[in-house]
Amino acid sequence: MLPVALYVCPQTVLSSLGLALDGLQLANRLAGRELFRVRQVSADGAAVPLTHARIEAQAALAAVARDELLLIPATGSDIPAMLAGNPALLAWLRQQPRQRALGSLCSSAFLLAEAGQLDGHRATTHWALAAEFRRRYPRVKLEADALCTEDGARLCSGGAQAGLDLCLQLIARHGGRALARQVAAVLVFDDARGSQARYAPLLPQPPRSTLAPLLDWLRQHHAEPIDLPAMAHRAHCSSRTLLRRFHAELGMTPNEYLQRLRMDAAREALADPARSLERIANEVGYADRASFARLFKQLCGESPGAYRQRLQGRLAAP
């Protein structure tokens, strides 16, 4: 039996807390025994007012046992407010030994990292927060594409729904894979969902700069043979200057942007079941289906066929 303490603070995202409670308590019910002893804790043991609810706590943070997994549900995307609003938790985390079991859901990885508990460890968080996380915590081995990471006694999940992926991982370990699949089925949740790359946008927001005309032109002509000199000519600058501007404004090379633009167009095309993969590959600029499929999987986290199957499943759902 694994004791789990869910930490609740004013920034706690109610849906994240609910997912963790539902997943672990459902596992207990379906297993017919207590695989997880779950309780809510707060800084001082008092009830915590959230935006839409008031959450009771069964214990104070200081009462969390040494063998208890402290799991911190998501705490929103306002990182400065989250860090400033949890001095008691950060002080407690900084005192914990490396063997203490600690976990975070979504944005709460920032709390573990701020306390130094993720230094040298693999971790993940929501894909949209990855750049800020890397800037703040360069000692952490961030795997932004991962839905879940486990490194020693440190558990992390990325994205709001990925908290349930982490819970299913715990359920599989303590109750078996069959039970984890059963919990996922009851909750109408896809087990083994792959990576966050399936959900993150391929393209950054277009900058308000002199690159905008070039980006508009690329969107209209992405399927044509285009190389760096051709793009530099359109932008009225040298290739070296264009490379520098792309890195500064978009964080990638012009060719990387072009490939992502083509994959974004392919995602749209895959919604049409009448268009073959060969046809789609040609339409977005690839003569070789295999090269197209390999790059699609690299950037999107799954094969074109798997993406189409998942998309058609969603479209067919009532």
Side-chain angles (χ1 to χ4, degrees), residues 11-13 73-79 82 105-108 110 125 129:
Q11 295 79 27
T12 295
V13 176
T75 39
S77 58
D78 189 343
I79 305 306
M82 172 222 299
L105 307 186
C106 196
S107 55
S108 290
F110 282 79
T125 190
L129 301 173

Side-chain angles (χ1 to χ4, degrees), residues 6-177:
L6 292 169
Y7 186 79
V8 185
C9 64
Q11 295 79 27
T12 295
V13 176
L14 188 58
S15 61
S16 179
L17 173 65
L19 275 176
L21 285 169
D22 286 348
L24 298 178
Q25 291 174 348
L26 179 59
N28 286 342
R29 182 166 67 82
L30 293 176
R33 57 192 176 96
E34 192 179 40
L35 294 171
F36 305 97
R37 188 179 71 237
V38 186
R39 61 176 179 167
Q40 289 113 239
V41 302
S42 64
D44 56 3
V48 180
L50 305 184
T51 303
H52 302 293
R54 181 179 174 86
I55 304 299
E56 296 295 326
Q58 286 82 48
L61 183 61
V64 174
R66 291 188 176 184
D67 65 341
E68 219 166 348
L69 165 64
L70 182 80
L71 193 58
I72 312 173
T75 39
S77 58
D78 189 343
I79 305 306
M82 172 222 299
L83 298 178
N86 286 282
L89 173 62
L90 289 172
W92 184 88
L93 286 171
R94 291 186 178 108
Q95 297 173 358
Q96 302 311 304
R98 306 300 285 183
Q99 63 269 26
R100 156 79 76 168
L102 301 171
S104 65
L105 307 186
C106 196
S107 55
S108 290
F110 282 79
L111 290 164
L112 294 185
E114 183 71 16
Q117 289 291 354
L118 293 179
D119 285 355
H121 286 280
R122 295 166 47 248
T124 191
T125 190
H126 194 289
W127 57 262
L129 301 173
E132 183 173 0
F133 191 96
R134 287 193 176 97
R135 179 180 62 79
R136 285 176 176 267
Y137 311 114
R139 295 183 180 179
V140 181
K141 301 173 183 176
L142 185 68
E143 298 180 0
D145 282 348
L147 283 172
C148 298
T149 58
E150 180 175 4
D151 192 348
R154 301 292 175 267
L155 296 165
C156 299
S157 69
Q161 298 294 319
L164 188 51
D165 289 283
L166 188 148
C167 290
L168 291 173
Q169 187 171 309
L170 291 173
I171 292 166
R173 178 179 306 149
H174 294 275
R177 286 296 311 160

